[in-house]
């Protein structure tokens, strides 16, 4: 998408970044008397006071000592990372070539614009912040350099639209310094473990397929569940996660899952032997790429009049278009950790702001930048630096219902979470003009 007014937008972004970075009683003995000796009474046994019940030892939340601390400040230091690519855009001058913004710049820029709007809104509510913004794609501003230069040492919270290779060193630093790090957009743990200060908002693929498995088991009374995958080890691991979720599931009406290994040479006869005509056929396709997904769908679509089909795809399907005539009549679903119908007060506010200031509509990245910044800075100001005891506060909801849960890579041995992850997954049905949320209880 090529936007107009891009030079103005980037100038505003640069100005905003500069502003944010500036930014016992004794008794006498009785007297002797004549007469018979006084009758002595036996001393009363001392009454034992009932023992006070011992107070239970306070448990350290998630076995992380820092989480038991209450650290509140009048002003909080926040660091934001976004891939702005300013060095690339202004490689030779301050003019944008052709006065059009390169496509690769837009996601980071739009994320930053959402962050900036949230910061402005929080400031109007009286929240005191010192904010540093880092372009993690700029020379001399990469994550290792920023850490080495000790620019993050006084930080209370890090929010980052980062991926590999930036996530790992940033996570290692956050764990060492005990700073909460919000990975706002990357749907992967990057191989990270033993870091309870890492909060993954954009759920991992494993969580997506677990949620799909749970939904199809409970959402259809009578069903035939197939996992259709290609022969790669990656798609085999996705199928393995689905089957593992099935094994863990405590549900007396669950149906067994059959695995179909698909290739371009798969025949109709080989495929239809798995399909049933008397019940819904729930087909979970593990292909993340559009070409692969459509290749399988074309084969399935040939049998849609004979066999009832409900096709569930991966989270990457949210941006795919299935407008080809052969897909007409197919019921398609995908999973997503975000759902925004853009009718709430926050969304209207953001849309109106972007229309007025940037003469454009906000992208999903802008909405994510706003929401992540608003939600976690609210937690910071309410509960202090270590807000991890209560990550899920419905009162802070913007337009996504978060459900952060501790993830243990070895549930029998691990005492400390590997990280925290948003486990709230929406199941969304693709429509002709709009997509629809199916699990409306979220």
């Amino acid at each position: 998408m090529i936007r107009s007014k891009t030079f103005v937008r980037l100038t505003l972004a640069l100005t905003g970044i500069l502003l944010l970075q500036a930014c016992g009683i004794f008794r006498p003995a009785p007297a002797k008397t004549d007469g018979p000796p006084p009758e002595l009474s036996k001393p009363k046994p001392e009454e034992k006071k009932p023992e006070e019940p011992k107070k239970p030892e306070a448990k350290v939340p998630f076995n992380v000592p820092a989480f038991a601390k209450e650290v509140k400040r009048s002003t909080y230091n926040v660091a934001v990372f976004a891939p702005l690519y300013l060095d690339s855009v202004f490689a030779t001058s301050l003019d944008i070539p052709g006065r059009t913004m390169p496509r690769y710049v837009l996601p980071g820029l739009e994320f930053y614009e959402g962050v900036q709007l949230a910061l402005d809104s929080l400031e109007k509510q009286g929240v005191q912040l010192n904010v540093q913004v880092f372009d993690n794609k700029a020379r001399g501003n990469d994550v290792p350099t920023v850490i080495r230069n000790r620019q993050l040492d006084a930080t209370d919270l890090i929010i980052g639209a980062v991926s590999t290779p930036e996530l790992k060193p940033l996570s290692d630093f956050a764990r060492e310094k005990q700073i909460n790090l919000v990975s706002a957009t990357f749907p992967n743990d990057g191989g990270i473990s033993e870091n309870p200060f890492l909060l993954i908002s954009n759920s991992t693929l494993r969580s997506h397929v677990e949620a799909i498995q749970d939904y199809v088991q409970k959402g259809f009374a009578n069903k035939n569940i197939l996992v259709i995958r290609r022969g790669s080890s990656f798609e085999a691991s996705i199928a393995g996660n689905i089957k593992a979720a099935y094994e863990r599931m405590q549900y007396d009406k669950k149906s067994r899952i059959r695995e179909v290994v698909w290739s371009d040479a798969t025949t109709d006869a080989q495929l239809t032997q798995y399909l049933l005509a008397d019940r819904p056929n729930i087909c979970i396709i593990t292909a993340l790429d559009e070409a692969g997904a459509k290749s399988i769908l074309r084969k399935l679509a040939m049998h849609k009049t004979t066999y009832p089909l409900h096709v569930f795809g991966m989270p990457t399907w949210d941006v795919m278009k299935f407008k080809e005539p052969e897909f007409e009549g197919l019921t398609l679903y995908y999973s997503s950790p975000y759902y925004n119908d853009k009718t709430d007060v926050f969304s209207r506010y953001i849309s109106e702001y972007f229309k007025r200031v940037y003469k454009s509509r906000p992208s999903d990245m802008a909405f994510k930048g706003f929401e992540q910044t608003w939600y976690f800075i609210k937690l910071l100001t309410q509960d202090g630096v270590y807000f991890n005891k209560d990550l899920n506060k419905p009162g802070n909801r913007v337009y996504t219902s978060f459900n952060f849960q501790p993830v243990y890579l070895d549930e029998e041995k691990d005492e400390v979470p590997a990280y925290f992850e948003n486990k709230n997954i929406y199941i969304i049905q693709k429509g002709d003009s709009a997509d629809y949320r199916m699990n409306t209880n979220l």
Side-chain angles (χ1 to χ4, degrees):
M1 166 178 106
I2 305 300
R3 295 187 179 184
S4 63
K5 309 293 184 181
T6 53
F7 181 73
V8 174
R9 292 178 65 189
L10 197 56
T11 302
L12 288 171
L14 284 168
T15 303
I17 291 171
L18 291 171
L19 287 172
L20 287 170
Q21 289 182 318
C23 356
I25 295 173
F26 294 95
R27 180 180 299 170
K32 188 175 180 181
T33 58
D34 294 332
E39 186 175 340
L40 298 177
S41 60
K42 293 181 181 180
K44 292 182 180 180
E46 291 184 8
E47 293 183 4
K48 289 185 179 181
K49 294 182 179 180
E51 292 184 4
E52 293 184 4
K54 291 183 179 179
K55 293 181 179 180
E57 293 183 8
K59 291 184 179 180
V60 176
F62 305 104
N63 293 313
V64 181
F67 293 174
K69 300 176 183 177
E70 184 177 282
V71 180
K72 292 188 174 182
R73 312 191 197 283
S74 58
T75 301
Y76 291 96
N77 300 318
V78 179
V80 177
F81 284 85
L84 299 171
Y85 295 92
L86 297 181
D87 282 353
S88 299
V89 176
F90 301 108
T92 57
S93 71
L94 292 179
D95 291 327
I96 301 173
R99 303 189 66 82
T100 59
M101 191 72 68
R103 289 180 182 272
Y104 64 85
V105 176
L106 294 178
L109 176 60
E110 291 162 347
F111 179 83
Y112 167 74
E113 290 169 345
V115 169
Q116 180 64 70
L117 178 55
L119 291 171
D120 292 343
S121 304
L122 289 162
E123 184 182 16
K124 291 176 182 177
Q125 292 190 355
V127 177
Q128 300 296 313
L129 302 168
N130 291 322
V131 181
Q132 296 184 88
V133 179
F134 298 98
D135 173 9
N136 50 278
K137 296 299 183 182
R139 292 186 299 272
N141 210 26
D142 57 280
V143 170
T145 301
V146 170
I147 292 172
R148 188 167 57 249
N149 292 340
R150 308 179 68 89
Q151 292 174 265
L152 299 176
D153 285 7
T155 303
D156 298 313
L157 173 66
I158 303 171
I159 301 173
V162 296
S163 57
T164 53
E166 301 106 337
L167 181 59
K168 184 64 167 65
L170 199 56
S171 171
D172 290 344
F173 172 82
R175 178 179 61 185
E176 178 189 352
K177 298 295 184 180
Q178 300 188 336
I179 301 168
N180 279 313
L181 163 61
V182 179
S183 177
T185 58
F186 190 47
N188 197 305
D189 60 19
I192 292 165
S193 61
E194 299 180 359
N195 186 3
F197 298 92
L198 173 61
L199 313 172
I200 300 177
S201 297
N202 196 1
S203 314
T204 63
L205 186 56
R206 177 178 176 179
S207 293
H208 280 272
V209 298
E210 288 173 348
I212 291 172
Q213 198 281 147
D214 183 83
Y215 181 83
V216 300
Q217 292 285 359
K218 296 177 180 178
F220 297 86
N222 193 17
K223 62 270 186 184
N224 174 38
I225 305 177
L226 306 174
V227 174
I228 304 176
R229 70 169 180 87
R230 293 173 295 185
S232 70
S233 58
F234 178 71
E235 292 196 24
S237 70
I238 296 176
N241 286 331
I242 296 173
K243 288 185 287 187
Y246 166 83
E247 295 294 338
R248 290 193 302 269
M249 186 181 196
Q250 302 296 316
Y251 184 58
D252 57 1
K253 296 179 182 179
K254 67 181 182 181
S255 299
R256 71 186 181 103
I257 294 175
R258 295 188 292 168
E259 188 174 342
V260 181
V261 180
W262 188 91
S263 74
D264 290 337
T266 300
T267 65
D268 287 342
Q270 289 172 323
L271 182 60
T272 56
Q273 68 176 320
Y274 294 98
L275 300 174
L276 301 175
D278 63 343
R279 67 197 64 187
N281 294 276
I282 314 302
C283 302
I284 305 174
I285 298 178
T286 59
L288 273 68
D289 62 295
E290 186 166 353
K294 288 186 174 181
S295 179
I296 297 171
L297 280 175
R298 287 190 184 95
K299 187 75 73 172
L300 282 171
M302 297 169 62
H303 308 285
K304 62 189 177 185
T305 57
T306 306
Y307 303 98
L309 296 173
H310 292 263
V311 183
F312 287 77
M314 298 294 100
T316 52
W317 289 30
D318 64 340
V319 296
M320 296 182 191
K321 304 296 182 184
F322 300 96
K323 300 296 185 181
E324 292 87 340
E326 61 264 41
F327 301 142
E328 187 176 352
L330 277 180
T331 308
L332 305 177
Y333 310 83
Y334 65 91
S335 57
S336 175
Y338 303 103
Y339 180 79
N340 183 5
D341 60 11
K342 299 180 175 63
T343 60
D344 61 282
V345 63
F346 282 103
S347 296
R348 294 197 302 271
Y349 167 64
I350 297 167
S351 296
E352 290 168 4
Y353 177 87
F354 269 71
K355 183 178 179 180
R356 184 178 71 253
V357 176
Y358 301 124
K359 306 298 186 287
S360 65
R361 289 182 298 177
S363 70
D364 285 345
M365 285 295 286
F367 282 108
K368 289 176 183 178
F370 182 96
E371 179 172 53
Q372 301 283 315
T373 305
W374 181 278
Y375 188 87
F376 285 101
I377 290 181
K378 278 289 187 180
L379 286 177
L380 188 67
T381 56
Q382 290 165 350
D383 297 339
V385 173
Y386 302 110
F387 50 71
N388 309 68
K389 297 183 291 294
D390 189 8
L391 287 171
N392 305 305
K393 290 194 171 185
N396 291 347
R397 184 182 188 276
V398 181
Y399 25 76
T400 299
S401 293
F402 289 121
N403 179 23
F404 283 93
Q405 295 297 326
V407 174
Y408 299 91
L409 301 183
D410 188 330
E411 295 185 1
E412 294 183 359
K413 295 181 180 179
D414 290 351
E415 295 183 358
V416 174
Y419 47 81
F420 285 78
E421 180 185 351
N422 174 28
K423 292 287 187 177
N424 187 75
I425 304 293
Y426 296 95
I427 304 300
I428 301 173
Q429 182 179 341
K430 276 195 167 290
D432 293 334
S433 57
D435 294 348
Y436 304 93
R437 182 178 59 175
M438 303 304 294
N439 44 350
T440 55
N441 58 311
L442 298 183

